[in-house]
């Protein structure tokens, strides 16, 4: 009953930029934290960045200030601006949201389907 849809992935040369977006829809009472994760072939999924409902952000140290997470609460959308991309950033990027569904006391976590980011040398 809650769906997250990512978009914005693609192929880009090293040094380029991409902006990912993730829109939540469905029976939503409230969205709390939102986050971006990524998973490269043969590696575990890792946290990229997270953001609270109030807009406070936290980044994985390996991002080194190149990425910026933001959100539009009116549109239930979270963004990830990625600059100065390198081949090491190649991965499937996933959106995650902490949601209070309509009519439910409690929270649930939802994942998007993922969007592929490929960075060439």
């Amino acid at each position: 009953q809650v769906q997250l849809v990512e978009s914005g992935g693609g192929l880009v040369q090293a040094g380029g930029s991409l902006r990912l977006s993730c829109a939540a829809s469905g029976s939503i009472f409230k969205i709390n934290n939102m986050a971006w994760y990524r998973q490269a072939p043969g590696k575990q999924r890792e946290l990229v960045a997270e953001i609270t409902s109030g807009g406070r952000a936290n980044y994985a140290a390996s991002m080194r200030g190149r990425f910026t997470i933001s959100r539009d609460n009116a549109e239930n959308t979270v963004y990830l601006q990625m600059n100065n991309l390198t081949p090491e950033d190649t991965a499937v990027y996933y959106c995650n949201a902490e949601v209070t569904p309509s009519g439910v006391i409690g929270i649930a976590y939802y994942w998007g389907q993922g969007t592929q980011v490929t960075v060439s040398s």
Side-chain angles (χ1 to χ4, degrees):
Q1 62 182 13
V2 176
Q3 185 178 21
L4 305 180
V5 179
E6 299 107 329
S7 62
L11 176 64
V12 65
Q13 293 184 2
S17 298
L18 286 172
R19 190 184 75 160
L20 308 182
S21 63
C22 171
S25 62
S27 300
I28 299 171
F29 174 72
K30 179 180 175 63
I31 300 179
N32 301 312
N33 299 327
M34 303 185 81
W36 287 97
Y37 290 76
R38 70 183 185 186
Q39 187 167 19
K43 296 185 177 180
Q44 294 185 353
R45 189 170 299 184
E46 64 175 343
L47 175 69
V48 175
E50 58 187 359
I51 186 169
T52 70
S53 61
R56 295 189 179 275
N58 183 57
Y59 300 92
S62 61
M63 303 304 115
R64 299 183 178 179
R66 297 179 296 117
F67 293 2
T68 302
I69 189 171
S70 61
R71 64 191 290 170
D72 184 341
N73 290 335
E75 299 292 333
N76 289 334
T77 301
V78 63
Y79 303 93
L80 184 68
Q81 178 67 45
M82 305 186 294
N83 298 324
N84 296 318
L85 288 163
T86 74
E88 287 68 40
D89 296 316
T90 296
V92 178
Y93 285 71
Y94 296 91
C95 177
N96 178 267
E98 181 186 28
V99 177
T100 299
S102 297
V104 175
I105 299 176
I107 58 174
Y109 292 89
Y110 294 90
W111 291 94
Q113 82 287 352
T115 185
Q116 176 71 49
V117 172
T118 303
V119 184
S120 62
S121 300

